[in-house]
Every structure is written in C-alpha cells, then in structure tokens.
Amino acid sequence: MTKQESFDRVLSKKDVLALAFGAMIGWGWVVMAGSWIETAGTLGAIIAFIMGGIMVLFVGLTYAELTSAMPKCGGEHVFSLRALGTNASFICTWAIILGYVSVVAFEAVAFPTVLEYLVPGYIQGKMYTVAGYDVYFTWVLVGMISSIAITVINYFGVKPAAFLQGVLTLIIGAVGLSFFGGAVVNGDSANITTLFSDGNKGVLAVAVMTPFMYVGFDVIPQAAEEINLPFKKIGQILVLSVVMAVIWYVMIIYGVSLAMDSSALAASKLATADAMKAVFFDSPLASKIMVIAGIGGIITSWNSFFVGGSRAIYSMADSKMLPEFLGKLHPKYKTPVNAVLLIGILSTLAPLLGRKMLVWLVDAGGFTIVISYLIVSISFIVLRYKEPDMPRPYKVRKGVLVGSVAVLLSGLCIFLYLPGAPSALVSYEWAIVTGWFVLGAVFYTWSKMSYVEFGKHAEEEALG
C-alpha cells in the first residue's frame, strides 16, 4: 500500500475509548436488564456479567498485545494470518464480519422499533408479514433513512464518525450515572427479594448472553491504522474499555433491582426506563430521557460496528481474499469507500426483513464472533512460541497462561451455542451460519483461482 493510499491517523485516545465502550453499551441494557434479573436474580445476574466480563477480559488481553504489536487495519485478519496462515485467517475474519454485519443490520431494525416509545402510534401502513412479524411502511422508512445517515457519516471519514460516537457516549454515560445515583439514593434494598433465581441454571442462562453484550472492544484493532497513539497505549485503552463495560452492566443491574420489586419487573416491558421513572419521583420525563439514552446506545453500537465491519472487509479485499474493488480507499476521506457502501446497502435493506429474521441473524453472528475470538486466542499463543522476540509494546504478563485461559473460555462459550446447550442456535440460525460459510467458501475458492499469489500481499505485510 502506498503512502497516498494509506489511512490517516486521526483517532485520539478519547475517540478510541468512545468507539469501544460505546459499542459495548448499546441498547440491550435498556431492554433486557429486567429479564436478566428475573432469570438469574439480582446477585445471579451480576455474577453472570462478571463471569462474562472475565472471559472477554482474557480475550481482550490477547487482543491488546496483538494490536500493539501489529497495529494494522483488519485486526483479527492480521493476527491470525501471521500466526496460522491464510486458511485460518479467512475463517477468522469471515466469522467476525458476520457478527459485525448482523449488529449493523439489527440496529437498523432496533432504531425504528424503539422510536415508538417516544412517538406512540407513528407506525402505519402494514405491508406484509415475515416470520409472524408485521412489517409497516413508516417503520421501514425510518430504519432506511437512519441507515443512510449512518452510512453517509462513515463515508466522509472516521473522524466525523468518532465525533458522533464521543458525543453520544458522553450522553449515555451521564444518563446512566444519574440513574445509578438516583437508585442508590431513592431506591429501596427491600426490593431485592431474590438474590438467585433458578440457581446455577439461571446464572448460566444470563452468562451465555454476555459475550454479545461485550462485543465492541474488537473494533479497536480493526481501526488500528487510524489511531494516533503510542502502540502501548492502544492496548491499555482496549483493556480499560472492557473493564468499564463490566462496571456499567453491574451498575445497571443493581440500579434496576433497587428501583423495582419483582412484581414491577414482571409487569414492565422496558425495565430500565421504568426504573429511571421510579427513582426520579415517578416522572414520565425521566423515563423518556432513559429511552433517548438507549437510542444513543443504538447509534453508538451501530456506528462502531460499521467502522469495524468495513475495515474487516477492506483488509480481506486488500489481501486478495475478497473482490478487489472492496479494497479501495477514498482518495480524499481515506475511508474504505466500497466496503462502507456495501455495509450501508445491507443495513438499509435490513428493515424489509422484519424483526424476527434479524434476531436470528444476530444470534448467528454472536456464535461466529466467539469463533473469531477462539482463533485470535490461539494465534496469540502460537505467536508467543513462533515469534518470541517480536516487539510487543503492550506485553501481557504470563502470556501463555492468559492465552490458554482465553482459548478455554472462548471454546466453552462456543459449546453453549451447540444443540442441547442453554443458548443453542435454532434451525434457522444454523441455516444462516451454514449459508454464510458456504458463501465464504465460494469467495475463497474464487480468490485462489483468480490470484496466483493468493493472500501473499497480506502475509508479507503481516510479517513486515
């Protein structure tokens, strides 16, 4: 890649932290906090998120070291390529791309759905039904327009996207802290009547959801070539973002538990918003403020995964593993323009599929994200033995032990998606996973046939 074709290093410390932390605190905590507490109990849900956070933290430590050592666009793609070669790298990156695309597509559905809490009755004009879900014209229109807006922001450079991310993350953080403060002062510990619900089974049922809640720190290595920081600092921020996310989820669960008793939780459709209302003297305005913060979370998650997904696609195309036109950088804005447009098109069309199909897509994407985590963790250990003298500005202590735990935990997490496990994928979700990897096999075969030196460009860069 020539200097003129390279990315601009424009992301500051605040930008990077906002990208990662903002991705991890999307909309889920507003919608699902009540369900987590009902499923596992207050202490059970907190333990579940700490367990999930520990798993993600071990994986995050491997990412931190590898990102500081190889600060190139593509993250997982570069790590696995250098450690394990083109075959494993293709599987790893293709897996994470489905995860990114699934989140981006789902946010295009979540945004118009959540808007109804602020503008009741705006959904009009039934068009058709998909998997039992009625699709309305105004709902689709809002999803499409918002998707186009996010695409435009990402088209014109990573800095505008990061600025939006920073502003919204600050707003979400302020609202969340206000809620927690209100819950501590005005809540009642007597509301916490159930510390554990359904014992270990309840804890595991919530724990298996947590990796998807924590997805987002991996956006940092995807945009590594656009970060203007010392390489050691990049690793430190990555780990900090994971720790902050764990604290955030524990804080929200405890706050909701203080604000609402079990009967109120069971009756609530949006527990965190109702909890906000309860701790601020039954104010409907407080509830709406929480919903607005949740909408901000949708946008921060949407924006971060847009950045991550487009960079992952670009890196594969730059390695000749995907069609070459997807590896084009905009000459002025230094964005992977065609990769951005591709994700933008998929996101804009997503509302047409309805909400149920997108839930299946997200579940399938969660499974493939964990596959990618496993391959990165293995790459971490392999490179410790294969290249012990490789410069590592952020070097994890007891690296082989940390990497082994990361492999074990991510492997166990994969097991939880398999048939018979608590969060086993349903047949439609397995069909999505299978179809995605069949499509990947087609691209992989086409790339090998089209390029004599398949993957060599990326291998040279990874080793350079």
Side-chain angles (χ1 to χ4, degrees):
M1 188 184 294
T2 66
K3 188 175 181 181
Q4 287 184 329
E5 295 172 325
S6 63
F7 289 95
D8 286 339
R9 291 194 177 274
V10 295
L11 296 178
S12 67
K13 178 180 177 180
K14 293 179 181 178
D15 294 331
V16 176
L17 188 58
L19 277 173
F21 181 61
M24 288 187 278
I25 55 166
W27 168 249
W29 56 277
V30 179
V31 177
M32 300 180 68
S35 173
W36 297 332
I37 296 166
E38 288 184 286
T39 301
T42 299
L43 188 56
I46 288 173
I47 289 173
F49 268 87
I50 292 174
M51 286 169 56
I54 289 171
M55 187 279 283
V56 172
L57 184 59
F58 273 99
V59 175
L61 285 167
T62 70
Y63 268 81
E65 177 173 303
L66 293 172
T67 303
S68 71
M70 292 169 277
K72 299 178 183 295
C73 175
E76 294 89 350
H77 176 67
V78 178
F79 311 154
S80 54
L81 187 63
R82 185 159 180 165
L84 304 171
T86 53
N87 294 346
S89 180
F90 191 98
I91 294 170
C92 181
T93 318
W94 192 243
I96 202 80
I97 287 173
L98 177 61
Y100 289 149
V101 170
S102 70
V103 175
V104 169
F106 186 77
E107 303 302 9
V109 168
F111 184 84
T113 301
V114 172
L115 190 63
E116 191 175 15
Y117 288 103
L118 295 179
V119 189
Y122 94 89
I123 297 179
Q124 300 291 329
K126 181 179 176 180
M127 297 166 62
Y128 48 81
T129 300
V130 179
Y133 184 83
D134 294 335
V135 179
Y136 289 84
F137 174 75
T138 53
W139 183 84
V140 169
L141 186 64
V142 169
M144 286 185 161
I145 291 174
S146 56
S147 177
I148 291 169
I150 295 291
T151 303
V152 169
I153 290 169
N154 277 272
Y155 182 93
F156 285 113
V158 74
K159 193 63 180 177
F163 176 77
L164 172 67
Q165 190 81 0
V167 171
L168 291 175
T169 301
L170 280 174
I171 292 171
I172 298 165
V175 173
L177 289 172
S178 297
F179 163 65
F180 183 70
V184 170
V185 174
N186 298 324
D188 188 349
S189 59
N191 287 330
I192 306 176
T193 56
T194 307
L195 292 178
F196 290 95
S197 178
D198 206 13
N200 293 336
K201 186 177 179 181
V203 174
L204 283 175
V206 174
V208 80
M209 304 178 196
T210 60
F212 193 77
M213 295 294 113
Y214 288 125
V215 170
F217 68 88
D218 42 289
V219 172
I220 292 178
Q222 292 295 346
E225 284 188 50
E226 297 162 273
I227 298 173
N228 186 26
L229 287 172
F231 298 149
K232 182 177 181 179
K233 185 67 70 176
I234 296 174
Q236 292 172 343
I237 293 175
L238 192 153
V239 173
L240 175 62
S241 69
V242 175
V243 173
M244 287 173 62
V246 174
I247 294 171
W248 176 268
Y249 282 110
V250 169
M251 180 181 77
I252 294 299
I253 291 168
Y254 185 61
V256 171
S257 296
L258 287 174
M260 303 175 73
D261 60 26
S262 56
S263 60
L265 279 175
S268 175
K269 292 183 179 180
L270 210 61
T272 310
D274 289 338
M276 181 79 160
K277 178 181 177 182
V279 298
F280 284 101
F281 313 107
D282 209 30
S283 167
L285 177 61
S287 178
K288 289 185 181 296
I289 290 173
M290 181 60 83
V291 172
I292 291 170
I295 290 175
I298 290 174
I299 297 173
T300 57
S301 179
W302 197 347
N303 194 47
S304 288
F305 288 110
F306 212 113
V307 171
S310 59
R311 273 62 179 176
I313 291 172
Y314 167 86
S315 66
M316 291 189 77
D318 191 50
S319 302
K320 314 298 185 188
M321 294 183 182
L322 289 178
E324 199 168 8
F325 79 95
L326 292 171
K328 177 185 175 182
L329 274 185
H330 194 286
K332 179 179 179 181
Y333 304 119
K334 303 300 183 184
T335 53
V337 56
N338 289 335
V340 166
L341 292 175
L342 174 62
I343 292 184
I345 291 170
L346 295 174
S347 176
T348 302
L349 295 176
L352 294 171
L353 298 176
R355 188 164 60 185
K356 186 64 177 178
M357 290 189 70
L358 270 297
V359 170
W360 295 335
L361 179 62
V362 165
D363 289 343
F367 173 63
T368 58
I369 284 171
V370 180
I371 290 175
S372 186
Y373 286 173
L374 175 62
I375 296 175
V376 169
S377 300
I378 293 171
S379 300
F380 173 86
I381 296 175
V382 168
L383 286 172
R384 275 297 184 102
Y385 286 108
K386 185 178 177 181
E387 299 187 53
D389 298 324
M390 179 173 65
R392 293 171 169 86
Y394 182 93
K395 189 168 184 176
V396 176
R397 294 180 181 180
K398 300 187 182 298
V400 174
L401 175 62
V402 169
S404 299
V405 174
V407 169
L408 176 64
L409 293 177
S410 51
L412 287 173
C413 196
I414 288 176
F415 176 78
L416 295 176
Y417 285 92
L418 301 180
S423 61
L425 299 182
V426 300
S427 57
Y428 297 108
E429 293 160 354
W430 281 118
I432 291 171
V433 172
T434 302
W436 182 253
F437 279 104
V438 168
L439 179 63
V442 171
F443 278 126
Y444 190 75
T445 303
W446 173 83
S447 298
K448 278 200 165 185
M449 292 174 63
S450 301
Y451 300 107
V452 176
E453 297 182 338
F454 170 68
K456 185 176 179 181
H457 169 68
E459 286 183 358
E460 290 173 348
E461 281 206 350
L463 293 170

